[in-house]
Amino acid sequence: MAVGPTPCPTVPRPDQPCFLIIARDIADADHAAKLRAEHLDGHLAHVETHWRRYLNAGPIREPGQTRLIGSTFLVFADDAAGARTLIQGDPYFTCGLYETVDVFEQTVSIGRYLGGKIWESADAIRAKAAGG
């Protein structure tokens, strides 16, 4: 018996801003892999210590490939400076693994980890969706 989609529940909006951090590895893939291996234990200790600040995090790769090319972090912080302070304590950031690091504020709106959606109706978010 096929089961249809389940209705998406409305959940409370997170009480703290969220920031998406996209960190791209240095161009030298062999050196990047060496840095990842050398600093793995410290990196894992850092993210495990601060796990409640992360909505999600993990390495990224090109589709269908196995070589890691960077990482993304979705973190809660009061502001962008707080998000940067959090990640600057991570050995992956301090060892020179990442060539570029971009920080964006993101509205956490819907998803499985969130447990549903934050809006009651399209009308309730229409102005914000239009950039207002």
Side-chain angles (χ1 to χ4, degrees), residues 42-96:
H43 164 69
L44 294 178
H46 178 80
V47 297
E48 288 177 15
T49 296
H50 301 283
W51 71 273
R52 291 187 184 275
R53 304 258 325 260
Y54 292 86
L55 180 60
N56 186 40
I60 56 174
R61 60 190 64 76
E62 295 292 339
Q65 301 299 309
T66 58
R67 183 175 69 85
L68 302 180
I69 60 169
S71 302
T72 63
F73 304 84
L74 198 51
V75 301
F76 291 107
D78 291 332
D79 52 31
R84 286 184 187 278
T85 297
L86 172 65
I87 63 171
Q88 287 169 352
D90 184 329
Y92 275 4
F93 286 86
T94 59
C95 76

Side-chain angles (χ1 to χ4, degrees), residues 77-124:
D78 291 332
D79 52 31
R84 286 184 187 278
T85 297
L86 172 65
I87 63 171
Q88 287 169 352
D90 184 329
Y92 275 4
F93 286 86
T94 59
C95 76
L97 172 61
Y98 300 124
E99 184 170 325
T100 62
V101 177
D102 295 307
V103 178
F104 304 93
E105 188 165 350
Q106 179 176 346
T107 300
V108 179
S109 300
I110 189 169
R112 195 158 88 182
Y113 287 143
L114 190 58
K117 60 182 175 133
I118 64 169
W119 63 89
E120 291 289 332
S121 69
D123 288 338

Side-chain angles (χ1 to χ4, degrees), residues 7-56:
C8 183
T10 300
V11 298
R13 182 183 195 102
D15 60 356
Q16 195 172 26
C18 195
F19 294 86
L20 171 63
I21 299 157
I22 302 172
R24 299 290 301 231
D25 286 3
I26 56 175
D28 183 338
D30 291 335
H31 189 58
K34 180 181 173 206
L35 289 172
R36 280 185 183 277
E38 286 176 5
H39 297 279
L40 176 65
D41 291 339
H43 164 69
L44 294 178
H46 178 80
V47 297
E48 288 177 15
T49 296
H50 301 283
W51 71 273
R52 291 187 184 275
R53 304 258 325 260
Y54 292 86
L55 180 60
N56 186 40

